[in-house]
Amino acid sequence: MGAKRILLIEDNAVNRRLAQFLLKSQGYEVWEVGSAPEAFASLKERQPDLILMDIQLPGMDGLTATRQLKGDPTTRDIPVLAVTSYAMKGDEAKAFEAGCSGYVTKPIDKTLFLEAVAKALKDRERKD
């Protein structure tokens, strides 16, 4: 089986570069978009094994986008990992309520980030 495919939805270029670097260093195939509408267009072209979703996106926020993904039969089974600078009490619960299967806070701790990605991918393999 080839490299696991990850769609990174992140509007901040610095955060995108860091996540992309970390993921590629682990052998993942990564493609990135900067907004929810770009993500929906990209998902019509190819399906990832995991979606990394920034919560603070321009236009449509990441939780709204996640709810839409989970409501669509073609994308509902793709795990979504929230990656966010929101770290207030209750924010993690909101992410899970929206359909996220994991939650990682920024600034990104490389070890915790990669562990969360690996866990989300492993959990999906168990479901398949």
Side-chain angles (χ1 to χ4, degrees):
M1 183 165 188
K4 296 292 183 187
R5 298 173 319 274
I6 298 175
L7 172 59
L8 174 62
I9 307 169
E10 168 65 66
D11 64 319
N12 180 288
V14 173
N15 291 338
R16 231 182 2 247
R17 274 195 304 273
L18 174 59
Q20 177 104 233
F21 173 78
L22 292 172
L23 295 166
K24 286 186 174 182
S25 77
Q26 300 301 301
Y28 298 120
E29 177 188 326
V30 183
W31 74 96
E32 59 187 59
V33 296
S35 69
E38 288 177 82
F40 295 129
S42 176
L43 287 164
K44 289 179 180 160
E45 303 295 319
R46 56 184 169 167
Q47 295 279 302
D49 296 298
L50 175 66
I51 296 172
L52 298 179
M53 178 74 73
D54 182 20
I55 299 304
Q56 265 187 294
L57 291 169
M60 180 187 293
D61 69 82
L63 296 181
T64 302
T66 298
R67 284 188 206 91
Q68 279 194 4
L69 292 169
K70 294 302 174 180
D72 182 337
T74 62
T75 56
R76 104 175 41 153
D77 294 330
I78 303 169
V80 177
L81 187 62
V83 183
T84 182
S85 55
Y86 286 171
M88 302 298 289
K89 184 175 175 139
D91 287 337
E92 186 171 0
K94 288 178 191 170
F96 284 108
E97 286 167 16
C100 294
S101 56
Y103 183 87
V104 177
T105 58
K106 295 177 193 169
I108 290 174
D109 173 300
K110 69 179 183 181
T111 303
L112 293 176
F113 175 72
L114 292 173
E115 285 174 356
V117 167
K119 180 185 182 315
L121 289 166
K122 193 169 285 187
D123 289 349
R124 179 173 186 182
E125 281 180 10
R126 281 192 206 116
K127 288 179 184 174
D128 287 346

